[in-house]
Amino acid sequence: RKEVEQDPGPFNVPEGATVAFNCTYSNSASQSFFWYRQDCRKEPKLLMSVYSSGNEDGRFTAQLNRASQYISLLIRDSKLSDSATYLCVRDTYKYIFGTGTRLKVLA
Amino acid sequence: DAGVIQSPRHEVTEMGQEVTLRCKPISGHDYLFWYRQTMMRGLELLIYFNNNVPIDDSGMPEDRFSAKMPNASFSTLKIQPSEPRDSAVYFCASSNTGTDTIYFGEGSWLTVV
């Protein structure tokens, strides 16, 4: 089993839709989790950290479920500019990335 | 502020040739990471350094790959000899103790023919 698993997608959604991605991890000792965004032919960039209590940043909400070992990302009111690949990441000093979920927001 | 700087940005080389990728991390960062990204395998951690010391190289695919960090501002990833299956984007990234964010360079796009 991979350390971090994601549905590769693509998720094709209309503008304004709400979309959610999940990511499962296998190392129960993992302490830190993040969501990164990667645009086509660009480097990954931090989107947001994921805290145990859940956190929100504008249209984006991240949740952590330690019991079931998954993290989620919810995007509300999708914009065309949200089209990208979303990578979930675990741990602090040895960042392990999932393979990413592709999102396409359609006009 | 300068980000992580990688060179070359693009390289096309023939099978069997030596390839050297270079990275300058963000000044003051004490962690440096080398990743490889392919469509099939995603973003794989090859090796990471802390204070110029290699901490974990378990992701290095085989002996053809080697990485060094002679000082806090420079690292290299070398492939010798290169093979077509090494074709990928190689990212260097750095971070600082006590912060959560890892910053990536723009990547080195390697094609081995």
Side-chain angles (χ1 to χ4, degrees):
Chain A
R1 182 182 176 187
K2 291 184 178 179
E3 293 190 66
V4 181
E5 294 201 61
Q6 295 183 252
D7 181 342
F11 284 58
N12 296 322
V13 302
E15 268 188 295
T18 295
V19 61
F21 313 131
N22 280 346
C23 166
T24 58
Y25 62 93
S26 59
N27 185 340
S28 60
S30 296
Q31 295 298 312
S32 303
F33 301 89
F34 312 90
W35 283 102
Y36 274 68
R37 170 189 169 133
Q38 186 174 25
D39 293 303
C40 187
R41 302 182 69 82
K42 297 289 189 180
E43 72 274 22
K45 292 182 180 179
L46 178 68
L47 176 66
M48 60 195 305
S49 302
V50 186
Y51 304 125
S52 296
S53 55
N55 50 302
E56 188 173 310
D57 183 2
R59 299 182 292 108
F60 298 83
T61 300
Q63 297 277 357
L64 167 61
N65 185 317
R66 289 194 183 273
S68 300
Q69 294 187 203
Y70 76 87
I71 65 173
S72 64
L73 177 68
L74 181 79
I75 305 175
R76 291 180 297 278
D77 188 23
S78 299
K79 311 291 184 190
L80 294 175
S81 57
D82 294 334
S83 297
T85 296
Y86 291 84
L87 304 159
C88 71
V89 188
R90 72 150 180 87
D91 267 349
T92 303
Y93 297 122
K94 183 176 176 178
Y95 291 75
I96 303 298
F97 284 74
T99 51
T101 298
R102 286 181 59 202
L103 171 66
K104 290 184 180 180
V105 181
L106 308 172
Chain B
D1 288 342
V4 177
I5 299 172
Q6 292 186 244
S7 65
R9 288 295 315 281
H10 297 89
E11 176 141 352
V12 180
T13 191
E14 291 185 347
M15 183 174 63
Q17 295 299 306
E18 178 179 293
V19 174
T20 299
L21 307 178
R22 298 172 178 80
C23 176
K24 176 179 170 55
I26 293 173
S27 178
H29 281 191
D30 54 355
Y31 282 86
L32 183 139
F33 307 83
W34 281 102
Y35 286 88
R36 176 174 69 177
Q37 188 172 38
T38 61
M39 288 292 292
M40 293 298 296
R41 301 175 67 89
L43 201 58
E44 301 173 281
L45 177 63
L46 301 178
I47 185 172
Y48 77 95
F49 297 81
N50 179 223
N51 291 322
N52 313 338
V53 176
I55 302 300
D56 187 339
D57 65 354
S58 59
M60 296 287 262
E62 48 198 275
D63 291 346
R64 297 185 297 107
F65 285 69
S66 62
K68 293 182 180 180
M69 192 166 185
N71 58 62
S73 59
F74 184 66
S75 177
T76 59
L77 178 68
K78 188 172 293 187
I79 308 171
Q80 167 63 21
S82 58
E83 297 182 3
R85 60 194 169 116
D86 301 330
S87 299
V89 184
Y90 291 83
F91 286 104
C92 177
S94 70
S95 70
N96 204 17
T97 301
T99 66
D100 290 339
T101 308
I102 177 174
Y103 296 88
F104 283 82
E106 293 182 308
S108 292
W109 296 70
L110 175 64
T111 302
V112 183
V113 297

